[in-house]
């Protein structure tokens, strides 16, 4: 069954694959590489924890970038967050803005792809299989694709979709487009990963069939699923990994050769404090951040900027160098970030902040309010025994807008409580 143009086919039938056969030095051996010529291989392994995934994000370059703060980007990710889950996702539901972003971003043209947002991973990549007889190159074939992984805020499932964009360059041992078969599709990263499963096998087709699917712009789809009953963690959190497995079948000596891409992280939870989004699976190899625009909220941004970059000039003064967290340093996921605090536990932060604000002369403008950083809604707030804080009177409307933006981040990036998650603040001038 062929995929329909622009749609997803779930459970596409897999063509027959020959069983591995023994080979001698005179027979065919195959090396599978990415389009960049580097062998496809699992890559570096990171701890399957929140901090481990942040380290993976920094290493892969899945870091805060300006396009994530644009209205177009936020509208596109909101469309994914609010998508109905009554039926499987189809290709037309992928926001065109995000696809175009992927098509022109060099970070997506790698073996790991790029996480643009917790709800959207994308990759422009492919496999190149080279056959050798002894040391002589005896054949070659290429398959290219664009692939996306879309998170979900309603059920514990990531949707993985792949569209072939080229199949060919085949010659020699791979010259026959009917008997040479290529495979691609997602699998869970670890065979022993409890709770992770993929609903159907990778797609295996002849080069001729892949070429047909390229011409009609077909998409193929899978569901990477998480079983919450396998988790004993708070909020039923499960940190899974998944990868793309690839393969090529050689008619002679009749063998399938396979290779996998590096792992990608997927965090799933059943946190009930997201009132309308009770369950979720998202891409975890990304660092969430709160953009604060100096042009829109100048006083609010100036206060945060002062707290992050000149903490010793802020009020209240301390007899020691002040330590105020939350500023992200690119490439370093170990810099202290901020952690979301349950609403029921914010009172000590607010009380400590009020005591500090009472020591500042009352402003003449009645519309001003006393702002604090780190936020009262974070573990690192004013009552923290570890971190220092800053208070300052600023325009009340800007203070309110800043608070709204923080709550919006908690929802749009699905920030979990306390040590289960972390985020940063970035002032944009």
């Amino acid at each position: 069954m062929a995929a329909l143009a622009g749609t997803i086919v779930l459970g596409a039938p897999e063509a027959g694959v020959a069983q591995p056969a023994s080979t001698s030095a005179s027979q065919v051996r195959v090396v599978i590489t990415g389009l960049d010529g580097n062998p496809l291989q699992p890559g570096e392994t990171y701890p399957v924890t929140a901090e481990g995934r942040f380290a993976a994000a920094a290493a892969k370059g899945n870091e805060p970038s300006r396009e994530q703060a644009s209205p177009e980007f936020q509208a596109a990710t909101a469309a994914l967050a609010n998508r109905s889950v009554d039926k499987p996702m189809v290709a037309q539901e992928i926001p065109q803005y995000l696809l175009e972003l992927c098509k022109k971003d060099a970070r997506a043209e790698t073996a790991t792809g790029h996480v643009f947002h917790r709800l959207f991973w994308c990759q422009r990549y492919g496999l190149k299989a080279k056959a050798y007889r002894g040391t002589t190159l005896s054949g070659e074939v290429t398959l290219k694709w664009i692939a996306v992984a879309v998170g979900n805020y309603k059920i514990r499932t990531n949707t993985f979709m792949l569209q072939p964009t080229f199949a060919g360059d085949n010659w020699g041992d791979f010259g026959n487009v009917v008997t040479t078969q290529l495979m691609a599709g997602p699998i869970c990263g670890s065979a022993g990963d409890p709770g992770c499963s993929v609903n159907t096998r990778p797609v295996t087709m002849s080069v001729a069939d892949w070429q047909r699917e390229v011409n009609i712009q077909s998409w193929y789809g899978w569901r990477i699923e998480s079983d919450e009953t396998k988790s004993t963690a708070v909020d039923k959190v499960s940190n899974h990994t998944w990868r793309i497995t690839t393969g090529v079948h050689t008619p002679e000596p009749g063998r399938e050769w396979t290779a996998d891409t590096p792992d990608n992280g997927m965090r799933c939870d059943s946190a009930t404090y997201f009132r309308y989004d009770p369950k979720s699976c998202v891409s975890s190899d990304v660092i969430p951040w709160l953009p604060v625009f100096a042009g829109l909220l100048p006083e609010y941004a100036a206060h945060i900027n002062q707290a992050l970059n000149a903490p010793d000039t802020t009020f209240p003064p301390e007899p020691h160098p002040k330590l105020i967290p939350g500023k992200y340093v690119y490439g370093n996921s170990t810099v202290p970030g901020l952690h979301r605090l349950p609403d029921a536990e914010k009172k000590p932060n607010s009380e400590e902040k009020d005591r500090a604000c009472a020591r500042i002369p009352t402003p003449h403008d009645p519309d001003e309010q006393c702002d604090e950083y780190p936020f009262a809604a974070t573990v690192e707030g004013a009552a923290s025994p570890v971190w220092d804080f800053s208070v300052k009177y600023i325009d009340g409307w800007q203070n309110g807008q800043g608070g709204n933006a923080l709550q919006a981040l908690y929802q749009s990036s699905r920030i979990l409580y306390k040590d289960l998650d972390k985020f940063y603040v970035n002032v944009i001038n």
Side-chain angles (χ1 to χ4, degrees):
M1 181 190 300
L4 300 177
T7 65
I8 300 296
V9 169
L10 292 173
E14 184 178 28
V17 175
Q19 295 300 312
S22 61
T23 63
S24 67
S26 64
Q27 292 178 311
V28 175
R29 66 179 178 87
V30 174
V31 176
I32 299 178
T33 73
L35 299 181
D36 53 12
N38 295 319
L40 280 184
Q41 51 194 358
E44 186 173 353
T45 300
Y46 297 90
V48 187
T49 61
E51 287 300 325
R53 299 331 301 180
F54 283 125
K60 296 176 181 180
N62 297 327
E63 302 174 287
S65 52
R66 290 183 67 91
E67 76 267 3
Q68 296 172 339
S70 71
E72 295 84 0
F73 186 95
Q74 294 180 9
T77 53
L80 293 178
N82 297 320
R83 190 185 69 81
S84 171
V85 295
D86 293 338
K87 54 185 179 180
M89 186 174 188
V90 296
Q92 292 90 333
E93 292 180 282
I94 306 172
Q96 193 62 32
Y97 175 83
L98 294 178
L99 266 183
E100 292 303 317
L101 201 61
C102 174
K103 289 176 181 179
K104 43 186 197 184
D105 196 315
R107 295 172 297 182
E109 203 168 10
T110 62
T112 58
H114 182 65
V115 182
F116 290 86
H117 183 271
R118 284 186 161 175
L119 285 171
F120 189 74
W121 169 94
C122 189
Q123 181 189 57
R124 303 189 325 275
Y125 207 58
L127 69 89
K128 187 178 290 291
K130 296 182 178 181
Y132 293 86
R133 292 181 181 269
T135 59
T136 302
L137 183 65
S138 60
E140 190 170 299
V141 65
T142 300
L143 175 66
K144 299 180 182 179
W145 60 72
I146 184 168
V148 302
V150 178
N152 200 305
Y153 284 173
K154 302 292 189 297
I155 57 177
R156 292 174 65 112
T157 297
N158 260 14
T159 298
F160 179 90
M161 292 178 278
L162 181 146
Q163 182 187 54
T165 56
F166 176 83
D169 288 343
N170 52 298
W171 59 273
D173 286 310
F174 297 129
N176 190 321
V177 296
V178 175
T179 58
T180 298
Q181 300 167 350
L182 302 175
M183 176 184 72
I187 58 174
C188 290
S190 301
D193 185 356
C196 181
S197 63
V198 180
N199 70 312
T200 192
R201 288 180 167 188
V203 173
T204 301
M205 292 188 294
S206 69
V207 174
D209 286 339
W210 281 110
Q211 289 173 334
R212 181 195 66 232
E213 300 302 281
V214 170
N215 290 333
I216 61 178
Q217 299 182 321
S218 298
W219 283 88
Y220 285 83
W222 295 260
R223 295 190 304 273
I224 307 173
E225 301 175 333
S226 173
D227 182 354
E228 70 175 1
T229 66
K230 303 298 184 181
S231 174
T232 58
V234 176
D235 296 331
K236 295 290 184 180
V237 169
S238 297
N239 284 292
H240 303 296
T241 57
W242 61 269
R243 62 181 70 154
I244 300 175
T245 189
T246 70
V248 60
H249 173 247
T250 55
E252 294 294 338
R255 176 173 177 178
E256 182 187 39
W257 304 77
T258 62
D260 298 345
T261 65
D263 284 346
N264 293 281
M266 182 177 85
R267 187 200 73 192
C268 302
D269 72 83
S270 302
T272 58
Y273 43 87
F274 293 94
R275 182 176 178 185
Y276 300 107
D277 300 319
K279 300 181 181 183
S280 170
C281 280
V282 298
S283 291
S284 54
D285 295 354
V286 64
I287 297 173
W289 63 295
L290 174 68
V292 178
F293 294 94
L296 296 177
L297 305 174
E299 294 183 22
Y300 182 75
H303 180 211
I304 293 178
N305 190 59
Q306 181 184 7
L308 291 176
N309 295 298
D312 289 330
T313 68
T314 63
F315 189 88
E318 295 289 349
H320 58 262
K322 293 181 73 171
L323 298 175
I324 298 181
K327 178 182 178 180
Y328 184 65
V329 177
Y330 282 79
N332 188 351
S333 67
T334 64
V335 174
L338 302 176
H339 299 80
R340 183 182 179 184
L341 192 65
D343 289 345
E345 299 180 29
K346 293 192 301 185
K347 186 177 179 181
N349 283 340
S350 297
E351 292 176 341
E352 187 66 28
K353 167 245 186 178
D354 289 343
R355 281 191 286 269
C357 292
R359 296 162 54 193
I360 305 176
T362 303
H364 296 295
D365 187 344
D367 291 331
E368 289 192 353
Q369 296 176 357
C370 192
D371 177 42
E372 82 275 20
Y373 181 87
F375 313 111
T378 64
V379 173
E380 293 75 17
S384 168
V386 177
W387 301 104
D388 298 304
F389 69 99
S390 170
V391 293
K392 187 176 185 179
Y393 274 94
I394 65 170
D395 176 78
W397 179 83
Q398 293 186 38
N399 190 32
Q401 291 298 109
N404 291 340
L406 177 62
Q407 292 302 317
L409 173 77
Y410 284 170
Q411 299 300 316
S412 65
S413 288
R414 197 167 181 95
I415 305 296
L416 300 179
Y417 286 157
K418 299 186 176 180
D419 289 340
L420 294 175
D421 219 337
K422 180 170 64 174
F423 69 98
Y424 293 89
V425 179
N426 193 7
V427 177
I428 300 177
N429 295 312

